[in-house]
Amino acid sequence: MASEFDVCIRGAGIVGRSLALLLARERMRVALVDTAPAPSNSGHGDVRAYALNQLSREVLQSVRSWPEAQYATPVTRMDVYGDQGGEVHFDAAQQHSEPLNWIVDVPALEAQLAAAVRYQPMVETVGSPVDAALTVVCEGKHSRTREEFGVEFATIPYHQTAVATRLRCERPHGQAARQWFSAAGDILAFLPLGGPDGHEVAVVWSLPVSQVEGVKALDDAGLAMALESASQGMLGQLTVCAERAAWPLQQSVARQWCGPMPGSALQGTARAQSWVLAGDSAHAVHPLAGQGLNLGMADIAALARLLTSEDARWRRLSDLRLLRRYERERKARLAPIGLAMDSIQQLFTRPETPLQSLRNWGMRGFESSGPLKSWVTRQAMGVNF
């Protein structure tokens, strides 16, 4: 084991491993704390898939961890349908640039990152936290370390549960991500998998708590029929082809993103230590726009940039002035996204008829808004983000 580390990263998920590789590339000595249990052999597949934008792709490519083509399907179109005829369509061709995003198979991405970490000599995987000038907490929204440090995690529960699975579709997805908002308050997303000509989609169905038990009780055939109805039969006959996962939805943000390690030496001394939050340990948003992991990847890109900047060369990694600069930058970026996600979620889960008319009128107006729609599209793509 290395006698001294520059950075200790608590949490070996996608965000934690990516940050470890970014910092190791700059010759920092990194301890990566991995306390996750070994994968089981139960045969239950991991159904998770993420919509990653251009910035996230660039980060992963820079550390040679972007998955092979069959595990990263480019999305060239996104179609959003309201509950009274409102529609919004996003098209990559109109942006004259990269695909809108890529739908990435999580097990494949995690395998790529794990292999990259194994072959990076500046990263050492450890089973428990070690001393370092800087500790980065990447443990997710249920972070124990954040709780130990006494950081308030302000949470807005949405009284919705996300149900995820995968479907085999009669018709090809055509590289389109699709989303439906229903009058009953649920939000359904189909994310294309298996490459440009694929017939498989990842499903995220955000349901009011009153509907969750009924959906969970359905067998695979019943669930496929329910999803076929909710998706208006757009991809033809559907077949459930994976296990199911479910989790409650919320919007959260930590009040404080950095601080001195409890019991460490005074700031400014050679033995001073500090901590900082990144990813879901710092924030969580509704999955309706697929920005959760993208925000986490933007966190670590910003943190790595600051820690390796010219200014940082004259400061210790534990310098709270540097870390507070990161906190201010990322909170400023997060605020409008969190507000937008919360507003859309609240608007589309209200059953009142006037609100139904208002939100569909708004969708039609946004569809024809020109520059505004283009700006929103590029922000979601991670361009200038």
Side-chain angles (χ1 to χ4, degrees):
M1 179 177 291
S3 59
E4 185 178 347
F5 291 100
D6 298 306
V7 179
C8 176
I9 299 174
R10 300 193 187 185
I14 293 171
V15 170
R17 282 178 171 151
S18 298
L19 178 60
L21 293 167
L22 285 173
L23 298 181
R25 188 182 60 185
E26 302 299 325
R27 310 310 297 167
M28 292 188 191
R29 294 160 295 181
V30 180
L32 181 64
V33 182
D34 187 358
T35 58
S40 69
N41 295 317
S42 64
H44 293 181
D46 189 336
V47 301
R48 292 176 299 158
Y50 288 124
L52 297 187
N53 62 20
Q54 184 174 325
L55 175 61
S56 297
R57 183 173 185 252
E58 290 172 356
V59 169
L60 290 165
Q61 285 181 324
S62 74
V63 293
R64 300 182 180 182
S65 295
W66 186 250
E68 296 179 8
Q70 66 265 36
Y71 301 116
T73 301
V75 176
T76 58
R77 194 177 79 251
M78 182 172 181
D79 302 323
V80 183
Y81 303 96
D83 51 359
Q84 286 188 354
E87 296 183 9
V88 175
H89 304 279
F90 301 94
D91 194 327
Q94 295 176 355
Q95 302 301 319
H96 307 290
S97 63
E98 300 276 356
L100 297 174
N101 54 35
W102 291 261
I103 306 304
V104 174
D105 182 79
V106 169
L109 175 56
E110 290 181 332
Q112 289 285 111
L113 285 165
V117 166
R118 283 196 302 271
Y119 288 105
Q120 173 49 263
M122 299 297 288
V123 178
E124 185 166 340
T125 301
V126 297
S128 59
V130 300
D131 285 340
L134 178 63
T135 291
V136 186
V137 183
C138 302
E139 296 172 331
K141 62 184 177 181
H142 300 299
S143 169
R144 291 185 178 181
T145 299
R146 187 189 60 231
E147 293 181 3
E148 290 171 5
F149 291 168
V151 179
E152 182 182 354
F153 199 51
T155 297
I156 302 173
Y158 282 132
H159 308 293
Q160 282 186 318
T161 295
V163 175
T165 188
R166 295 190 180 186
L167 298 172
R168 181 75 180 171
C169 309
E170 180 183 3
R171 301 175 190 140
H173 52 60
Q175 294 183 258
R178 298 175 172 88
Q179 192 168 50
W180 294 267
F181 293 85
S182 85
D186 60 288
I187 305 169
L188 173 64
F190 281 4
L191 309 176
L193 295 170
D197 302 318
H199 283 252
E200 188 175 329
V201 297
V203 177
V204 181
W205 199 2
S206 302
L207 296 162
V209 290
S210 60
Q211 300 179 27
V212 173
E213 291 306 316
V215 169
K216 283 184 176 180
L218 295 173
D219 60 15
D220 285 353
L223 178 60
M225 289 182 62
L227 289 168
E228 190 173 325
S229 175
S231 63
Q232 302 167 11
M234 199 159 291
L235 293 182
Q237 186 174 355
L238 306 177
T239 304
V240 176
C241 61
E243 301 293 328
R244 307 177 200 180
W247 62 93
L249 298 179
Q250 63 186 42
Q251 177 162 300
S252 307
V253 63
R255 298 291 191 195
Q256 182 183 3
W257 287 31
C258 62
M261 286 290 286
S264 72
L266 291 176
Q267 285 290 309
T269 66
R271 298 181 62 81
Q273 297 179 359
S274 297
W275 58 266
V276 66
L277 306 180
D280 285 356
S281 294
H283 49 72
V285 297
H286 197 286
L288 64 88
Q291 289 301 307
L293 181 56
N294 290 316
L295 291 172
M297 298 300 281
D299 287 348
I300 62 170
L303 182 59
R305 185 183 70 247
L306 281 173
L307 294 179
T308 58
S309 65
E310 187 64 31
D311 185 37
R313 297 180 190 278
W314 303 100
R315 299 177 185 272
R316 294 183 175 88
L317 291 174
S318 60
D319 193 319
L320 286 174
R321 288 170 293 183
L322 194 66
L323 300 177
R324 286 177 183 133
R325 191 185 308 170
Y326 156 79
E327 178 179 3
R328 289 192 298 271
E329 176 184 333
R330 293 309 301 152
K331 280 186 173 181
R333 293 288 190 178
L334 175 68
I337 295 173
L339 178 61
M341 295 305 97
D342 184 60
S343 299
I344 294 171
Q345 192 277 340
Q346 298 288 351
L347 181 62
F348 277 90
T349 54
R350 298 286 296 275
E352 294 87 347
T353 300
L355 286 178
Q356 292 180 7
S357 300
L358 175 64
R359 62 202 183 208
N360 285 273
W361 172 82
M363 291 179 72
R364 287 187 287 269
F366 179 79
E367 173 67 5
S368 59
S369 63
L372 174 61
K373 180 182 173 185
S374 179
W375 181 84
V376 170
T377 304
R378 293 181 68 79
Q379 291 297 302
M381 290 169 64
V383 178
N384 301 323
F385 189 67

